[in-house]
Each structure stands twice: as structure tokens, then as C-alpha cells.
Amino acid sequence: MSNHATILSSRVRLARNYEDLPFDVADHPDLAAACISRTTNAMKLSGADEGFELLRLSDMSANQRLALCESHLISKDLLLRPDTAAVMLNTEESISVMMNEEDHLRIQAIVPGDDLQTAADRCFRVEDALSRQVNFAFDHQLGYLTACPTNTGTGMRASLLIHLPMLTIGKQMGNVGQIVAKVGLTIRGVYGEGAEALGCLYQVSNQVTLGRTEQELISAVTAVGHQLTDMELSLREKSMGAHRLVLEDPIWRAWGILCNARIMELPEFFKHWSAVRLGAAIGMLQLKTDTLDQMLEQVQDAHLQDFAESRLTGRDLAAARASRIRSMLAAE
């Protein structure tokens, strides 16, 4: 089993601010508009705008905005400022430049699997193109200046999205948190907080950016990601040998429910999804993990409503989710 059996994606985000604008431009429409105009013009002048589209949240429906958030292309915080927020998104939907969130710019890249370096390279290509046209707030001692002091320095947050079902079931996440904290990193649930993170999905990332280079941060997060992967895979191998029936039973039960359920609430989906993905990763189920990873966003509320081309709530939404799950699994 490879790292891809546990690491779903790698994400790098850079926080940048213009040196002549106050941090809180999102609360000032004129300044927010200036930030958007300056960013789009700089992208165009540098030639980096090719393949990018400007999306103003004020021109989008609430469901369209939520779909971007479900896909992790924009943050939840950006949704709080729809009147002044915008994002530049590339055609492949792998790079986004958020404008007027906590900082003036949040440049972000997401790539599948264990590849923080590629994500970082893509971010820095955009940042380099912009910096040739504009001036960012920078201090020679502190580094890049940001609205939140914890981002000051490199302004970079590197993170891995990791599936850790055996460590979660074995109640090892408390120990994991201590291991991660010792090296200046943090771990949290992506679809829920703490040890009971929904889907046994966790995000490992650097906690501060001051005093460490970008390469040091990438290396630290990658190293911890590999350590957690080794711990998880070790537990999987032990269970497949000594406790195979105990491991098999919840996997096959979850498979049966996902393939046949007619109503599926989101929390229940995450529980069964985690078991089925574990089964696929260890070869117990003849199913691609990529399909299951795509399912994570496709069965969330906004994506379901886009797919159905109608507004869904309550029981109708749960029924649409169950139907979408069945069709995606049947396609395999």
C-alpha cells in the first residue's frame, strides 16, 4: 500500500497583502473593489491570467458559492463577505486566488495525493507573476505581513488531507495530536473537529510561518504525513492478519448500505464512506479510491442541487444523496 492509500490531497496557501492598503478592506467596498481591480490587472499584465476566470461572489447564487467551498476552492470565511469577495479560478480548478478574505489575497493550489512541492510551485508561480507588477507588505525581519500574526513570515500554510480510519478506531488520535504538536504542526478534522472527525479525515498543516523557510515547512508537513501513513498502514496490516473478520465485517456492511440505501444523511455517509474507502485501499473491495475521493464533494448539498438542477431540502436532499452514491458506485 502506498501513501496514496491514506493521503488524498496536498494543498498550499499563501497569504499576501498590498503594502498601501489596510488589512480590513473586505469591510470597505471601495477598497475591496480596488483590491480586485489591482489583482486582475496585475495578473493580466504579467500574462498569468490565461486560463483564469474572475468570479465575483456577489454575482453568484448562494448554492454556487457553497459548491466552491465544498470543493475547497474557496474558504468558509470568504463566504462571509459575498458583497466584496471574489476569486480567480483556473480552468482545471486546481489554483485559486481569493480576494478580500482575512488577507487581501489567498493564493491556493491543490493537487491529488502526496505532492506538496508541486502545489507550492504552482502557488509561487502565481505569486511571482503578481509581485512583478505590485508591492506586497513585507518586513525584512518579520517577512510577509498578514492580518493574523500566526501567518506572518512566509505567509504559507502547507497541508495534507489524510484518511486515518485505523488510528481513529484505535483511539490513537490523541497521541497523534501530541506527536504533531511537538514539531510545530497541527491536526484537525476537515469535516468535523477532534478525534471524531467525520470520515476519519484529517488535515495536517504547519501552525506558524515565522522563523522557518517555505522548504522547511513543506519538508516538516511531508515528513509527518509519511509518519502518520506508516502508523496507519501498520495497523491495517496487523488487522488484516490477526483480526481479518473484525476488519471485514464493517467494510462489507458499509458497502451494502451505500449500494442500497434510499435515504442518506451526510454524517451517516461519512461513516460508511470511510469504511468503504478503507476496503478499497487494502484491496478488499475492487473499487478505485479516486472514485470515492470524488464522491466526497459530489454528494454534498450544493453539488447535489447542481446535479439535480433544483433546490432540495430535507428528505429530498437525503434521497438525492443516496441516489448519487448508488449511481457512482454502479459506474465502477
Side-chain angles (χ1 to χ4, degrees), residues 71-114:
S71 299
H72 301 291
L73 297 174
I74 65 172
S75 65
K76 289 182 179 179
D77 286 343
L78 199 71
L79 294 178
L80 300 176
R81 300 174 169 91
D83 293 338
T84 56
V87 59
M88 291 191 75
L89 185 63
N90 72 333
T91 306
E92 296 80 15
E93 296 190 344
S94 59
I95 305 172
S96 57
V97 182
M98 290 177 276
M99 288 163 273
N100 301 329
E101 195 224 45
E102 182 180 60
D103 292 290
H104 299 158
L105 303 181
R106 291 287 176 91
I107 304 166
Q108 175 186 275
I110 302 176
V111 299
D114 174 23

Side-chain angles (χ1 to χ4, degrees), residues 292-330:
L292 292 165
D293 296 348
Q294 292 167 13
M295 189 183 290
L296 273 177
E297 66 178 44
Q298 293 301 317
V299 305
Q300 294 196 53
D301 294 0
H303 280 80
L304 284 172
Q305 293 178 82
D306 279 347
F307 184 75
E309 296 183 342
S310 63
R311 178 173 172 77
L312 302 171
T313 58
R315 184 63 57 85
D316 291 336
L317 189 61
R321 179 174 297 111
S323 177
R324 186 77 171 116
I325 292 167
R326 294 197 309 272
S327 65
M328 292 186 74
L329 292 178

Side-chain angles (χ1 to χ4, degrees), residues 1-3 5-6 162-168 170 172 225-244 247 278 281-282:
M1 287 181 283
S2 66
N3 289 343
T6 57
I162 310 185
H163 184 220
L164 302 173
M166 297 304 296
L167 285 169
T168 304
Q172 296 296 309
H226 291 177
Q227 183 179 0
L228 296 183
T229 292
D230 290 342
M231 293 168 64
E232 173 69 22
L233 296 185
S234 175
L235 288 176
R236 293 183 188 184
E237 290 173 4
K238 288 180 182 177
S239 294
M240 289 175 69
H243 309 288
R244 190 174 180 88
L247 181 66
L278 173 60
I282 63 178

Side-chain angles (χ1 to χ4, degrees), residues 278-294:
L278 173 60
I282 63 178
M284 191 174 292
L285 298 174
Q286 298 305 304
L287 185 65
K288 295 177 182 177
T289 55
D290 288 347
T291 299
L292 292 165
D293 296 348
Q294 292 167 13

Side-chain angles (χ1 to χ4, degrees), residues 179-190:
I179 292 171
V180 169
K182 285 180 180 178
V183 291
L185 305 184
T186 184
I187 185 167
R188 64 179 183 85
V190 179

Side-chain angles (χ1 to χ4, degrees), residues 107-272:
I107 304 166
Q108 175 186 275
I110 302 176
V111 299
D114 174 23
D115 195 357
L116 278 176
Q117 190 61 59
T118 293
D121 291 344
R122 291 177 180 177
C123 276
F124 283 113
R125 277 198 293 270
V126 174
E127 195 261 359
D128 288 344
L130 286 169
S131 64
R132 289 196 294 270
Q133 307 296 328
V134 299
N135 294 318
F136 293 126
F138 184 84
D139 181 270
H140 289 289
Q141 284 189 317
L142 298 176
Y144 289 99
L145 305 180
T146 56
C148 179
T150 58
N151 289 325
T152 296
T154 63
M156 188 179 85
R157 189 63 55 94
S159 64
L160 296 173
L161 179 59
I162 310 185
H163 184 220
L164 302 173
M166 297 304 296
L167 285 169
T168 304
I169 294 168
K171 301 187 184 304
Q172 296 296 309
M173 293 312 298
N175 294 334
V176 167
Q178 294 178 6
I179 292 171
V180 169
K182 285 180 180 178
V183 291
L185 305 184
T186 184
I187 185 167
R188 64 179 183 85
V190 179
Y191 298 104
E193 297 301 326
E196 296 302 320
L198 293 174
C200 302
L201 286 166
Y202 301 88
Q203 182 172 283
V204 179
S205 64
N206 56 295
Q207 200 160 14
V208 295
T209 71
L210 188 63
R212 303 175 82 175
T213 67
E214 292 90 348
Q215 201 57 51
E216 287 172 343
L217 293 174
I218 290 171
S219 297
V221 175
T222 298
V224 168
H226 291 177
Q227 183 179 0
L228 296 183
T229 292
D230 290 342
M231 293 168 64
E232 173 69 22
L233 296 185
S234 175
L235 288 176
R236 293 183 188 184
E237 290 173 4
K238 288 180 182 177
S239 294
M240 289 175 69
H243 309 288
R244 190 174 180 88
L245 277 178
V246 176
L247 181 66
E248 283 185 340
D249 187 63
I251 290 173
W252 284 107
R253 285 175 183 267
W255 170 253
I257 291 172
L258 289 185
C259 286
N260 295 284
R262 263 47 186 175
I263 295 174
M264 182 69 63
E265 300 293 346
L266 197 55
E268 184 187 5
F269 159 74
F270 277 116
K271 174 184 175 182
H272 300 316

